Amino acid sequence: MQDWQRYALDMVEDQIVGRDVRDERVLEAMSLVPRHFFVPPEYAESAYIDRPLPIGEQQTISQPYMVARMSELLQGKTGMRILEIGTGSGYQAAILAALGFRVWSMERIGSLALAAQKRLHDLNFDVEVIHNDGRGGYPEEAPYDRIIVTAASARVEAEWDRQLAPNGFLIVPLNVTTGGQRLLVRENLKPGFRNTWYDYCRFVPLLIGVD
Ligand code: SAH
């Protein structure tokens, strides 16, 4: 993958800028993180195409556009604390670290958690991966300025609300009755929460317990 930087730039231009993501920091992060290291070797050549890809254990690395879109909606500032639920390959976590977030990321499948932690470490991304069911969040490091859920959920878990800093917000693909999901941004107004709905999308489901 000698030419990966050119592929990454093309990906940003065609798939991300082309669909109206304009946050310069997000565009830069997406062009600098080597996505081909986050997919199985047999998919390396396809790493920069406009699709989610299999990463084993029936899971997928999200489509580049969806990673960019969610990253833009987060409106991150350097040093903010973020909890990700659904580490998968670790790609979204790497983008968050590149954006200057302090990142904790939870994964319920042990083999994926282990592989992602090693990969992120080898690539020098400062991310802590936690092997556990993310429905309970990670109270040990709460509160978080942001929480990002990258698997489809039936509801907003009470623990996520609880672990959100004042004026912080979470973003989660919530199942909608028409099938598929829609991105929800939920802000902690303390007291109360404000919900705002964004794009329709399709993520693998949030599952119960650990494997
Ligand atoms: N963000 C990932 C893609 C997410 S795929 C990336 O950039 O590659 C969704 C991931 O969420 C899968 O790896 C799945 O195992 C994980 N997951 C599903 N339910 C979970 C739960 N309850 N807690 C933690 N992780 C979960």
Side-chain angles (χ1 to χ4, degrees):
M1 286 298 288
Q2 271 183 358
D3 281 345
W4 76 267
Q5 279 167 313
R6 187 167 58 78
Y7 293 133
L9 283 173
D10 286 349
M11 172 190 84
V12 166
E13 202 51 42
D14 300 345
Q15 304 170 32
I16 299 173
V17 177
R19 292 198 187 97
D20 268 352
V21 172
R22 291 293 150 85
D23 184 324
E24 288 293 340
R25 296 183 63 220
V26 171
L27 302 180
E28 191 184 10
M30 298 280 307
S31 67
L32 291 177
V33 174
R35 184 170 161 94
H36 60 285
F37 284 129
F38 293 82
V39 300
E42 62 270 30
Y43 288 107
E45 296 287 335
S46 314
Y48 298 89
I49 68 174
D50 192 13
R51 299 244 182 100
L53 293 171
I55 55 169
E57 308 285 348
Q58 297 174 305
Q59 304 304 320
T60 55
I61 179 175
S62 305
Q63 177 193 27
Y65 167 72
M66 197 41 69
V67 174
R69 177 66 176 143
M70 288 177 93
S71 300
E72 175 174 68
L73 287 172
L74 286 170
Q75 299 174 59
K77 308 218 175 13
T78 302
M80 274 187 172
R81 304 163 66 82
I82 189 165
L83 178 66
E84 180 191 26
I85 294 162
T87 313
S89 67
Y91 179 69
Q92 173 77 72
I95 297 290
L96 297 173
L99 286 168
F101 281 105
R102 295 184 59 193
V103 190
W104 290 266
S105 182
M106 302 185 75
E107 171 56 55
R108 64 175 289 279
I109 299 177
S111 58
L112 292 180
L114 202 66
Q117 181 70 87
K118 180 178 184 322
R119 181 179 294 130
L120 288 161
H121 181 264
D122 289 350
L123 292 170
N124 268 319
F125 290 107
D126 188 10
V127 173
E128 187 179 331
V129 177
I130 301 115
H131 176 216
N132 210 343
D133 184 342
R135 291 176 313 143
Y138 189 54
E140 286 84 344
E141 292 288 347
Y144 304 97
D145 301 297
R146 302 286 186 265
I147 297 176
I148 177 173
V149 185
T150 58
S153 185
R155 59 170 176 273
V156 176
E157 299 290 342
E159 275 301 329
W160 302 342
D161 278 349
R162 210 166 286 140
Q163 291 172 30
L164 215 45
N167 302 313
F169 59 82
L170 63 84
I171 178 165
V172 54
L174 271 201
N175 296 335
V176 290
T177 48
T178 47
Q181 305 110 30
R182 197 168 177 192
L183 290 181
L184 172 69
V185 169
R186 180 169 167 86
E187 190 182 356
N188 183 5
L189 299 179
K190 223 155 192 181
F193 290 86
R194 177 169 53 209
N195 291 336
T196 312
W197 294 93
Y198 291 91
D199 318 35
Y200 289 91
C201 51
R202 202 166 273 278
F203 281 81
V204 295
L206 196 76
L207 299 176
I208 297 173
V210 290
D211 270 342

